Amino acid sequence: MQIVPQLDRYPRLVALAQTNIGKVAAIAAFGLLLQLNGSRVSLELTATAGLITLFPQHRKLLLGVASACWLLFYSGRAGLGLIQRVAAAEGFQTGPALLCACVLAFAGMFWALGLFLRMVRRQRKNLIGQRPVLVMIASFLCLLMAAGVAPLHGVAKLTLWILLALACPYLWLFAYAIADYTSKTPDPYPGNFGTFFPFWMGSATPIGKGAAFLRKVEAHTPDDLAVSQLKAIKLLIWLLALNVLLVAIRAAVYGSAPVVIWTCCKALGFRLPSLLAPTLEAALDQSAAGTRVPLHLAWASVLMHFVEATLAMTIKGNTIVACCRMAGFRIFRNTYKPFYSTTVAEFWNRFYYYFKELLAEFFFFPAYVRYFKKYRKLRLIAATIAAATLGNMIYHFCLNIEYVFDLGLGKALAGFQVYTCYALVLGAAIAISQLRGRRGPAGSLPLHRRAMAVAGVLAFYCLLEIFDYDGRSHTLRTHLAFFWNLFSFA
Amino acid sequence: MNDRLAIRGYLQKLLRQKGDPGGFTDSDSLIVTGRLESVDTLEVVVFLEEQFQIDFADRGFDQNDLDSVDSIMSLVESR
């Protein structure tokens, strides 16, 4: 049963979307749906998508300009809070001079990337030429360690933290840019800036991967563009339905509904029934403080956290996918029917596709083609651990570098124990799942076995979510105690 | 010609195992269109290592090289 009509499969609608009226209607629908889905930058995204739709022949230029504006006015501010804190701690002014220094450093970073890319292509024989992504990630980690342990002060410390804070959100975009530049048919840099650093990027994980992938899925005819845009609109309609579901579930479990709904209910004299369960974070806080959370509420918070995390991931990731499709790149969904998964590895693939692809590209395959080649099973286990455990940990440690500034390197590493445990269990489970092999095409299992397999996979990920925590406030002991309490029915 | 047929046959077998009986031409993208996933790429890697003695550690690994029969053929020819 299709909840959202397959708009892109109606030939008359596809033809209409290629006319001027159809294009305007598609842009309007896109903007309205973005707004309804809660996007805070719907106007800017709609304007960009609108220009690309009306002037597809200038797509490359428009993408480049949009990306530059996006980096300068929105995304580039990501590390500014941390930089201001470092500056204040070192006794510097946090006003316009610091902002100017950041803008200069930001431009310098992209210029340095260009130099690095040229160096990679020229020096194919040494480590930089053969393992450029590894060199880049290792350099970032070394700088981060130096910032955490070296007794630096004043300008040196501020400069180092400016570099780290500005580079941190783009680390994996740089990695894809390097991977594309070392391929056989690279896009010129910075000529194709718009596909190296696309304007729709709202996450540290490059959704739509890199320029090489985008080049392959780009719409080249008006018909392709219309189909891609109708797919974007269809996806946003589906996300709207999920958003409504998320609001309803939050109201029913946490008792937190938007003000509009509360006001309406109050006016009608209707009281929303709610379980008033704590969020998982609140339940863990209570547990850490020594207060035992009632069993039914603890289970409700765990189940709800899993459902909420899945819905939130679907909505956030697929909104970015919709923007990418609207710009004429027909990429896969980020989250696709995760609750249909019959194996742990399949869920991992369906839940957060572009994160999985990132780990596969930069950790799994490099390990798989190099180590334990004579031992097929060991090879698979090692590569899976390299990606789902090691790569996953590196990604999340580099994502939250402010902990290194706040706590120092030692405490930031020690506080990472909960996520380390999560990544280890996840890596081991995916490795076992891959060793057991695939279950065959969908529908090949009898219904009851399929239902059992799906339930097992969901139960595993639901409980594992308790440890999916990259903050530093709780210890592993707190999470383990909460986990065990779920099964103490006495 | 035999190499091309062997590669084609292997990809066809892989797709059939996934419940995808559809046909494909030598230039059709299989990874970009989602017909083959990362986990299938592993099997193609092992196949190429065993059948054609390709060492990806030496030459570098790029998923795009395994996207179609044509791209795999150029990989095999350039070994």
Side-chain angles (χ1 to χ4, degrees), chain A residues 6 10 18 87 115 117 141 145 165 232 234 257 344 355 367 374 377 399 404-405 453 455 479 482 488:
Chain A
Q6 303 275 36
Y10 297 124
Q18 294 171 50
L115 283 184
L117 292 176
L141 286 172
M145 278 195 273
K234 187 177 78 174
V344 169
F355 182 52
K374 287 185 182 160
K377 286 185 178 174
L399 199 61
V404 178
F405 173 69
H479 286 253
F482 181 83
S488 55

Side-chain angles (χ1 to χ4, degrees), chain A residues 425-479:
Chain A
V425 175
L426 180 69
I430 294 175
I432 293 167
S433 173
Q434 296 206 100
L435 285 175
R436 291 177 68 193
R438 64 170 104 245
R439 288 193 195 267
S444 65
L445 283 176
L447 189 64
H448 70 283
R449 282 194 58 200
R450 189 173 171 80
M452 291 279 284
V454 169
V457 169
L458 295 186
F460 168 76
Y461 277 103
C462 183
L463 291 171
L464 190 65
E465 270 293 302
I466 296 171
F467 300 93
D468 183 5
Y469 170 77
D470 57 5
R472 301 294 193 275
S473 308
H474 298 144
T475 60
L476 179 58
R477 200 173 174 164
T478 303
H479 286 253

Side-chain angles (χ1 to χ4, degrees), chain A residues 283-311:
Chain A
L284 281 163
D285 284 343
Q286 284 182 41
S287 188
T291 314
R292 204 181 151 163
V293 183
L295 200 60
H296 70 288
L297 292 183
W299 273 103
S301 68
V302 170
L303 291 171
M304 180 56 202
H305 180 78
F306 178 59
V307 173
E308 199 180 15
T310 309
L311 283 174

Side-chain angles (χ1 to χ4, degrees), chain A residues 45-58:
Chain A
L45 289 171
T46 310
T48 309
L51 286 171
I52 291 171
T53 309
L54 296 174
F55 307 103
Q57 67 277 26
H58 301 300

Side-chain angles (χ1 to χ4, degrees), chain B residues 32-47:
Chain B
V32 169
T33 51
R35 292 179 71 181
L36 290 182
E37 296 166 33
S38 309
V39 67
D40 307 311
T41 314
L42 297 187
E43 300 192 22
V44 180
V45 166
V46 174
F47 168 74

Side-chain angles (χ1 to χ4, degrees), chain A residues 29-53:
Chain A
F30 175 71
L32 179 68
L33 285 163
L34 271 183
Q35 186 69 36
L36 290 173
N37 275 308
S39 169
R40 278 175 286 181
V41 284
S42 56
L43 200 63
E44 293 88 330
L45 289 171
T46 310
T48 309
L51 286 171
I52 291 171
T53 309

Side-chain angles (χ1 to χ4, degrees), chain A residues 248-302:
Chain A
I249 294 176
R250 277 180 179 154
V253 180
Y254 300 142
S256 62
V259 181
V260 185
I261 296 179
W262 278 121
T263 316
C264 290
C265 289
K266 207 173 170 185
L268 294 168
F270 176 71
R271 193 167 166 271
L272 283 172
S274 172
L275 194 59
L276 292 177
T279 60
L280 181 61
E281 205 180 340
L284 281 163
D285 284 343
Q286 284 182 41
S287 188
T291 314
R292 204 181 151 163
V293 183
L295 200 60
H296 70 288
L297 292 183
W299 273 103
S301 68
V302 170

